[in-house]
Amino acid sequence: RVVYGGRVSLTVGVASIAIGMAIGGTLGLIAGYFRSGVDSVITAVANIMLAFPPLILALALVSFMGQNLRNVIIALAILSIPSLTRITRAATLTFSQREFVMASRTLGASHWRVITREILPNVVPPMLSFSLLAIAIVIVAEGALSFLGLSVEAPTASWGGIINEGRDILDEAPHVSLIPCGVMFLTLLALNYVGDRLRQIWDVREVRL
């Protein structure tokens, strides 16, 4: 049952971050490349969204939209958009002033070509390493929603739901809650470790002249 429940937790984590990367990554690229007023508006909206307590906002969204897998994914994707927007914007600001981008602009390349051919390939690697860390955070958030009874409804199993079911029988059968806790811990540890390793591999270091 723990293995079966892992499908829900992993599906929510991967799907939410994929949607968040598509939307937040696009907004971050636009903000970091064009700057000026566009950057100010997108950054302000992201900061406003980050000001809301994430768990409370997730509870409100799921309560409003209804308890099912699709709505949980949408709610957690909305929460991930501002963070992914800021990370992508920071990476875009770094690469938008590099020599190869300036050379492409000088040769008359359009904004679309510069973004898709020059900046995006360099922004994707750090975004992928960060996305693994974000997936771990989203899995914890889904587990919190399940523990509070606001994720997928029974009889569909998820790690948070199984932990919640074993809460009342901890004295008699602690393994009901401890086993999914252990599996979740190992999953999050693995995702964080892989994300850190990818970040180290893709970290760009300037050569000293």
Side-chain angles (χ1 to χ4, degrees):
R1 194 157 185 262
V2 171
V3 174
Y4 187 84
R7 300 191 314 165
V8 173
S9 298
L10 293 174
T11 298
V12 170
V14 174
S16 299
I17 297 304
I19 296 173
M21 283 188 65
I23 300 175
T26 301
L27 294 174
L29 280 169
I30 293 173
Y33 180 78
F34 292 103
R35 302 187 181 185
S36 188
V38 176
D39 183 19
S40 300
V41 172
I42 293 176
T43 303
V45 173
N47 290 334
I48 291 172
M49 293 182 66
L50 289 172
F52 287 96
L55 183 57
I56 295 176
L57 182 57
L59 292 172
L61 290 173
V62 174
S63 300
F64 176 75
M65 295 186 295
Q67 294 178 231
N68 57 57
L69 183 60
R70 183 191 64 184
N71 291 337
V72 171
I73 291 174
I74 293 174
L76 295 177
I78 293 173
L79 294 181
S80 68
I81 288 174
S83 298
L84 293 170
T85 299
R86 290 177 61 88
I87 294 295
T88 308
R89 173 184 174 275
T92 304
L93 287 172
T94 301
F95 289 105
S96 62
Q97 301 301 315
R98 298 289 294 271
E99 291 80 4
F100 59 89
V101 175
M102 297 178 67
S104 182
R105 290 174 179 170
T106 303
L107 293 173
S110 63
H111 293 311
W112 172 256
R113 180 179 177 83
V114 172
I115 292 174
T116 56
R117 299 293 296 273
E118 306 295 343
I119 297 177
L120 183 61
N122 292 284
V123 171
V124 167
M127 285 296 298
L128 289 178
S129 61
F130 177 78
S131 68
L132 292 175
L133 306 179
I135 289 173
I137 296 173
V138 170
I139 290 176
V140 173
E142 189 280 330
L145 291 176
S146 296
F147 187 78
L148 296 173
L150 287 173
S151 185
V152 293
E153 295 181 338
T156 304
S158 68
W159 287 338
I162 299 173
I163 295 171
N164 184 39
E165 291 172 2
R167 180 176 56 178
D168 297 330
I169 54 173
L170 284 176
D171 294 336
E172 303 172 1
H175 65 279
V176 176
S177 293
L178 293 181
I179 290 178
C181 284
V183 173
M184 182 181 290
F185 167 77
L186 293 176
T187 303
L188 302 183
L189 181 64
L191 289 171
N192 280 273
Y193 179 76
V194 174
D196 286 339
R197 290 295 299 166
L198 290 177
R199 182 178 55 81
Q200 294 173 4
I201 293 172
W202 287 328
D203 187 22
V204 177
R205 291 181 175 87
E206 296 291 342
V207 178
R208 290 186 177 181
L209 298 178

